[in-house]
Amino acid sequence: MFENWALQASESDSISFQDFDVEGLADDLHRHSSYELVYISAGSGVWQIGGVQGAFGAGTLILCPPRVMHAWWSGSAAKSGSRTSGIVLRFSREVLPGSLLRLPEMESLRELEKKLSAPLEFRVLDQARLRTRLNSVDRSKGVLKIARLLVALDLIASLECKQVVAEEKNKADLGSKDFARIERVKRFIEEHFRQHISRSDAARALGMEEAAFSRFFRRTLGMTYVDYVNNFRVRQAAALLGNRRGMGIEEIARQSGFGSLASLHRQFKKRLGTTPESYRKAANSEFQAP
């Protein structure tokens, strides 16, 4: 049975830690007032940060600054035989105060904080060492917990990384009216993504003029309606590629709402940086690993 599991936890503590092992990630776009670090130790799927998507697998490590929209998705273990596991670690801005970062001993963390003007994706070569450092944070309390978080961040700061440019026009919290509207349009897309659904179709579903709808959608989610729909369809295709190994890629294109195999290839490459065939091969090789 497919298990929906969202990467969302209490923000009442300055540091919160989750060690997870689940059948499937079915997250919704959300943001936090804290920093969020997500490390994937097993499984594969798709992450989204702002309007940018990428594929994740074992060893993926992303550090997201506060107030940036993000989400994670993976397929169902019932069909693929694989689970998704890893660690989510959140910490407040106050853990890295400017007075602390100005100390000469904090040079590595100072440089890391500068890079965090945008989310960071790291290349992890020694996963065992990283997991040991992260687990030490969970096992600690009080001042020692903060100290061990700083030690873990010092290790992460030494890793090769790249920024994920995630444009967001609006970072304010949604009002109840806007929240209800965006939930309605999300449901509309989920119910009709296999069909041709134009921007005008979605605008009519919300009872809005097309131009006003376009402004509302971009202001609220930080991306265009067309980008959101294509991102959604790519996620569906990625799930089918991992879960339905006997399904042909042309059929996956149709089931995901793409009008042609060429369209699937173009959008998959654009948004995940790889081809459907390469994604399936990587997912299957991970599932078969001892």
Side-chain angles (χ1 to χ4, degrees):
M1 179 176 178
F2 192 89
E3 178 183 353
N4 290 334
W5 191 84
L7 297 177
Q8 299 177 12
S10 170
E11 296 189 1
S12 58
D13 298 328
S14 58
I15 301 173
S16 60
F17 184 100
Q18 288 181 321
D19 195 335
F20 64 89
D21 177 32
V22 296
E23 290 185 355
L25 297 176
D27 212 357
D28 197 5
L29 280 169
H30 63 282
R31 51 192 165 205
H32 310 283
S33 59
S34 57
Y35 290 92
E36 179 177 86
L37 184 149
V38 178
Y39 163 63
I40 303 294
S41 57
S44 62
V46 177
W47 55 256
Q48 181 169 337
I49 298 174
V52 180
Q53 284 192 324
F56 72 76
T60 294
L61 176 67
I62 290 181
L63 179 54
C64 199
R67 314 309 301 167
V68 175
M69 296 286 282
H70 60 280
W72 297 72
W73 297 273
S74 66
S76 167
K79 294 185 176 70
S80 68
S82 173
R83 297 174 67 85
T84 304
S85 58
I87 290 171
V88 181
L89 194 157
R90 296 198 188 101
F91 56 95
S92 67
R93 299 168 185 260
E94 288 73 22
V95 172
L96 295 174
S99 57
L100 178 67
L101 292 177
R102 284 193 291 272
L103 296 174
E105 294 84 357
M106 295 294 170
E107 181 180 1
S108 63
L109 297 188
R110 190 162 58 247
E111 292 303 312
L112 177 64
E113 196 268 344
K114 288 179 182 177
K115 294 176 184 176
L116 277 169
S117 58
L120 299 175
E121 182 178 13
F122 296 86
R123 184 184 181 201
V124 181
L125 298 178
D126 190 342
Q127 293 191 55
R129 186 183 181 202
L130 174 65
R131 177 172 272 280
T132 297
R133 291 285 177 89
L134 295 177
N135 283 335
S136 72
V137 178
D138 185 42
R139 292 193 300 267
S140 305
K141 294 181 180 180
V143 174
L144 185 57
K145 192 180 193 75
I146 295 176
R148 286 187 168 162
L149 171 63
L150 296 178
V151 171
L153 291 175
D154 182 61
L155 170 62
I156 291 168
S158 70
L159 302 176
E160 180 183 338
C161 70
K162 63 179 180 180
Q163 284 190 324
V164 178
V165 180
E167 178 187 10
E168 291 191 73
K169 295 294 184 182
N170 176 42
K171 295 190 177 183
D173 291 330
L174 296 179
S176 58
K177 184 177 179 180
D178 281 351
F179 181 82
R181 276 181 169 176
I182 209 65
E183 289 303 305
R184 281 172 59 197
V185 76
K186 284 180 180 179
R187 286 196 300 272
F188 173 80
I189 293 167
E190 290 170 7
E191 292 169 2
H192 302 285
F193 72 91
R194 292 187 179 90
Q195 307 164 21
H196 174 72
I197 44 173
S198 67
R199 186 172 52 194
S200 59
D201 293 331
R204 278 195 299 272
L206 262 65
M208 298 177 68
E209 294 291 334
E210 186 174 344
F213 170 77
S214 294
R215 291 192 298 271
F216 161 74
F217 198 96
R218 189 175 183 90
R219 172 176 59 83
T220 305
L221 291 183
M223 70 189 82
T224 67
Y225 168 78
V226 171
D227 276 338
Y228 184 92
V229 171
N230 281 324
N231 284 345
F232 186 90
R233 287 170 171 161
V234 165
R235 294 200 305 271
Q236 302 305 311
L240 290 173
L241 287 164
N243 298 337
R244 304 289 183 88
R245 301 179 202 175
M247 182 180 287
I249 293 180
E250 190 167 353
E251 176 63 14
I252 286 175
R254 190 182 69 81
Q255 291 288 337
S256 304
F258 290 105
S260 66
L261 184 59
S263 180
L264 169 63
H265 269 265
R266 183 170 59 253
Q267 293 296 335
F268 213 90
K269 181 72 173 178
K270 176 181 178 180
R271 297 172 194 282
L272 298 187
T274 188
T275 65
E277 291 84 358
S278 296
Y279 181 90
R280 169 173 270 176
K281 183 177 179 181
N284 288 345
S285 64
E286 182 179 332
F287 296 155
Q288 295 165 6

